[in-house]
Amino acid sequence: MLLPLLWVGCSHQERMDDENSVYYWRTEWCLDSTERAFLKQYHINKVFCRYFDVMPDESGEPMPNATIAFTEKVPQGLELVPTVFITENCMHQCHKGLARKLVERILQMNETNDVAGVQEIQIDCDYTGRSRQTYYDFLAEVRQEAAKHHLRLSTTIRLHQLAMPAPPADYGVLMLYNTGDPQKFQERNPILDLRDVQPYLRYLSGYSLPLAAAYPVFLWQRNIYGVRVEHVVEADEILQVKAAVEKKRSALSHTILLYHLDHDNINRYNHETFESIYRH
């Protein structure tokens, strides 16, 4: 049952920690033996866990959607970063009190599900030039509310957003996936293709926010004109992109995330690939 939405400037020269992480993007928290072994094998002590989405209801008011259910306890010693995806159209206008309600809902979920040791929250939004200022004002409020509870704030950064001023967060996670045009799938892989990344490399060295990097290990299936198309990124492509972005900004080698933790995704690549991606 969804709860109502009471939901009851750092320098880019700052060094990120050497840290392996993953996203968890499912609606139920439940780890199988393969996923637990993966966390242990690659020394992953932090998981960015999607708590819920925020999207407008029929009246245009932002409401939570697809809230995660914790059907088992979070393993001891594993730090969760509550992550909230907000649709871009929620940021077409200011919503008074939204930041406070969002933080309160996260805190409530932590308490209800006995999630301890939370030190950070993350907001994910594909903001554009139209929504940027409203989103940045919202982030500033979230950061202020989070600080009251000794939490820091991170936000996702898509490639096209590198050309904009940096948002008011403690650091950003550069999303190196979903980089292409799905309509041009016959020419390039829409999940990740170095040719789609290259035009944005010039913004990396001067981007005024500490950055981590996130890479894809997921499979994307869809039907086009009745023929099923599958997209998956070859290991070599991921590693070429990793080398290219780190050449422009070496600090991107320190904090690495994978999207996302899942039994099938783990089995999609071999040990050497994961070692190469996570190598600092």
Side-chain angles (χ1 to χ4, degrees), residues 128-142:
T128 63
R130 174 182 177 182
S131 55
R132 180 182 67 83
Q133 192 55 58
T134 300
Y135 180 62
Y136 284 16
D137 292 343
F138 166 73
L139 277 186
E141 292 183 32
V142 173

Side-chain angles (χ1 to χ4, degrees), residues 114-173:
D114 195 25
V115 179
V118 172
Q119 302 179 48
E120 173 188 342
I121 61 177
Q122 183 172 109
I123 307 296
D124 176 20
C125 181
D126 189 5
Y127 58 92
T128 63
R130 174 182 177 182
S131 55
R132 180 182 67 83
Q133 192 55 58
T134 300
Y135 180 62
Y136 284 16
D137 292 343
F138 166 73
L139 277 186
E141 292 183 32
V142 173
R143 195 179 188 188
Q144 186 176 36
E145 291 292 331
K148 295 177 183 177
H149 304 279
H150 310 289
L151 301 172
R152 65 177 182 165
L153 174 69
S154 60
T155 186
T156 53
I157 306 293
R158 288 159 177 79
L159 286 172
H160 71 90
Q161 295 164 348
L162 287 173
M164 306 178 191
D170 293 296
Y171 73 94
V173 175

Side-chain angles (χ1 to χ4, degrees), residues 10-104:
C10 298
S11 166
H12 70 277
Q13 298 300 326
E14 179 181 334
R15 186 181 187 278
M16 299 290 289
D17 294 333
D18 288 335
E19 193 167 51
N20 297 339
S21 299
V22 289
Y23 278 106
Y24 187 94
W25 217 261
R26 310 202 307 249
T27 55
E28 179 183 6
W29 175 266
C30 184
L31 301 178
D32 67 17
S33 58
T34 299
E35 293 157 357
R36 290 174 182 270
F38 182 84
L39 295 175
K40 183 176 181 180
Q41 181 174 8
Y42 297 102
H43 310 289
I44 297 169
N45 300 313
K46 180 186 289 186
V47 174
F48 290 72
C49 179
R50 190 204 63 87
Y51 268 35
F52 53 91
D53 302 336
V54 176
M55 57 192 305
D57 63 12
E58 293 181 357
S59 67
E61 287 300 307
M63 293 293 290
N65 183 59
T67 300
I68 192 171
F70 286 86
T71 56
E72 65 179 31
K73 291 195 65 173
V74 177
Q76 188 173 6
L78 187 66
E79 177 190 345
L80 289 196
V81 178
T83 302
V84 176
F85 172 74
I86 298 181
T87 61
E88 190 265 345
N89 54 359
C90 280
M91 294 290 110
H92 288 176
Q93 60 180 316
C94 176
H95 297 281
K96 188 175 180 180
L98 178 61
R100 174 183 56 79
K101 293 174 183 178
L102 183 144
V103 173
E104 287 181 355

Side-chain angles (χ1 to χ4, degrees), residues 223-270:
N223 289 319
I224 300 177
Y225 308 121
V227 178
R228 189 174 75 168
V229 177
E230 292 187 348
H231 302 289
V232 64
V233 185
E234 297 296 331
D236 286 348
E237 190 75 18
I238 298 174
L239 296 177
Q240 286 178 31
V241 170
K242 184 174 189 289
V245 297
E246 290 177 5
K247 183 177 180 180
K248 291 292 185 179
R249 187 170 177 135
S250 60
L252 283 171
S253 67
H254 294 299
T255 302
I256 303 292
L257 295 82
L258 293 182
Y259 183 92
H260 60 103
L261 183 64
D262 177 82
H263 182 105
D264 291 337
N265 292 341
I266 291 170
N267 290 329
R268 188 161 292 118
Y269 299 91
N270 60 34

